[in-house]
C-alpha cells in the first residue's frame, strides 16, 4: 500500500493556501489507485514539543555523560521517524511566517538521529518529499529572493542533510486578495496559484505511479 504522510502547519484552518494544496495533493494521490493511503498529521492543531532536550538531536551513541532525554519525548521522536521511514512519499505544507517556517514545523524538523554525523548513513535517502510553500509576497526572481528563509532550510535539512528527494512548489502573492495595496497583483497571484495546482497534481500523479512501480503492484 503506497503510503503518504500529509503534514500541515498553517495556523489558518479555514482559507489556507498550503492546506488547499496539500489537500489537492492527497486527493490526486488517492486517485492513482485505491491502494494509495494517506496519514494526516496536523502540526498546528497537534504541535510537537519544542525540542524538550538538545540530546534528542543526537543518536544515543553520540550522547555525552548525563544526557538522558525524557523517554516520552524520545518515544514521540521515534514515532515521527517511523512515520517517515514507512512513507513512500511525504507532502509538507510550509507557509512563510516572518520569512521563515511556522514554529510547529520547525519543531517537527528536529529529526536529529536521522543524521548520525559519524557515518555516511542516510536512512531516508532518496525518499521523495514535496514541500509546498505559500507566501504573501513574491520572492523568487525579485530583489527579495534572499529573504526567503522558508524553502532553503527545508531543502537543507530534508535534502542536503537527510538525502531525501525534495520537490518544491511555491504559491506566491497569496495576500493579493487580502491587502488592498496588493490588489493590482491579483491576476499574477491567480496565475501563480493555477501553476502551483498544476505542479501539485503532476507531482502527486508521477510520485504516486512511481510508488506503485517500486512496490511491484502496478
Ligand atoms: C504570522 C504570519 C507571518 C507572516 N509573515 C510573512 C512573511 O514574512 N512574508 C510573506 O510574504 N508573507 C507572510 N505572511 C503571509 C503568509 O505567508 C500567507 O498568508 C500565506 O498564504 C500563509 O500560508 P497559508 O495560506 O497556507 O496559511 C505571514 C502570515 C502570518 C499569519
Amino acid at each position: 500500500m503506497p503510503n503518504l504522510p500529509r503534514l500541515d502547519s498553517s495556523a489558518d484552518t479555514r482559507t489556507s493556501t498550503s492546506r488547499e494544496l496539500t489537500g489537492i495533493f492527497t486527493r490526486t494521490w488517492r486517485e492513482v489507485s485505491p491502494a494509495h493511503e494517506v496519514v494526516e498529521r496536523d502540526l498546528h492543531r497537534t504541535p510537537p514539543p519544542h525540542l524538550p532536550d538538545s540530546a534528542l538531536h543526537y543518536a544515543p551513541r553520540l550522547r555525552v555523560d548525563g544526557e538522558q532525554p525524557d523517554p516520552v519525548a524520545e518515544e514521540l521522536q521515534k514515532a515521527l521517524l517511523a512515520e517517515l521511514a514507512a512513507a513512500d512519499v511525504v507532502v509538507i505544507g510550509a507557509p512563510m511566517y516572518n520569512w521563515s517556517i511556522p514554529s510547529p514545523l520547525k519543531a517537527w524538523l528536529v529529526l536529529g538521529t536521522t543524521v548520525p554525523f559519524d557515518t555516511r548513513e542516510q536512512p531516508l535517502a532518496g525518499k521523495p518529499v514535496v514541500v509546498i510553500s505559500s507566501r504573501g509576497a513574491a520572492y523568487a526572481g525579485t530583489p527579495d529572493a534572499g529573504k526567503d528563509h522558508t524553502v532553503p532550510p527545508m531543502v537543507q535539512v530534508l535534502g542536503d542533510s537527510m538525502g531525501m528527494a525534495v520537490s518544491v512548489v511555491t504559491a506566491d502573492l497569496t495576500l493579493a486578495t487580502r491587502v488592498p495595496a496588493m490588489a493590482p497583483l491579483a491576476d499574477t497571484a491567480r496565475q501563480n496559484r493555477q501553476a502551483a495546482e498544476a505542479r501539485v497534481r503532476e507531482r502527486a500523479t508521477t510520485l504516486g505511479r512511481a510508488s506503485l512501480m517500486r512496490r511491484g503492484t502496478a
Side-chain angles (χ1 to χ4, degrees):
M1 302 279 191
N3 172 261
L4 173 81
R6 164 191 177 179
L7 283 79
D8 285 302
S9 60
S10 171
D12 177 353
T13 55
R14 292 176 306 110
T15 63
S16 158
T17 296
S18 61
R19 286 177 185 274
E20 284 172 15
L21 290 171
T22 56
I24 290 171
F25 192 100
T26 55
R27 282 195 294 283
T28 311
W29 167 266
R30 282 194 171 106
E31 280 163 18
V32 173
S33 93
H36 279 62
E37 293 179 341
V38 177
V39 177
E40 309 265 355
R41 185 169 281 284
D42 191 325
L43 298 170
H44 169 69
R45 288 188 169 100
T46 313
H50 280 77
L51 191 58
D53 188 326
S54 62
L56 288 169
H57 186 53
Y58 305 102
R61 68 180 176 283
L62 295 178
R63 290 181 191 153
V64 296
D65 281 351
E67 279 186 338
Q68 285 176 328
D70 175 10
V72 175
E74 202 162 11
E75 279 312 303
L76 175 62
Q77 185 185 41
K78 281 186 191 156
L80 294 175
L81 287 169
E83 192 170 274
L84 271 189
D88 292 84
V89 176
V90 184
V91 64
I92 303 177
M96 180 182 283
Y97 283 175
N98 296 336
W99 298 277
S100 184
I101 54 177
S103 59
L105 180 56
K106 180 101 191 313
W108 175 85
L109 211 47
V110 183
L111 298 167
T113 56
T114 43
V115 185
F117 305 112
D118 56 342
T119 71
R120 289 186 173 277
E121 212 180 300
Q122 287 182 314
L124 300 170
K127 198 182 287 288
V129 54
V130 179
V131 175
I132 299 177
S133 175
S134 47
R135 55 278 291 296
Y139 294 87
T142 80
D144 286 338
K147 295 178 187 166
D148 176 2
H149 305 294
T150 304
V151 171
M154 297 294 288
V155 171
Q156 175 68 41
V157 176
L158 299 172
D160 295 358
S161 189
M162 295 184 182
M164 297 177 81
V166 186
S167 305
V168 175
V169 181
T170 53
D172 284 336
L173 297 174
T174 64
L175 288 180
T177 50
R178 180 192 285 267
V179 178
M182 290 178 68
L185 297 168
D187 277 348
T188 312
R190 240 188 320 275
Q191 286 162 17
N192 283 347
R193 169 58 191 256
Q194 281 167 2
E197 284 192 22
R199 171 100 172 121
V200 160
R201 288 201 175 87
E202 181 280 320
R203 288 288 73 202
T205 305
T206 302
L207 295 172
R209 287 181 183 153
S211 300
L212 273 184
M213 301 288 282
R214 252 196 320 276
R215 284 177 175 262
T217 47

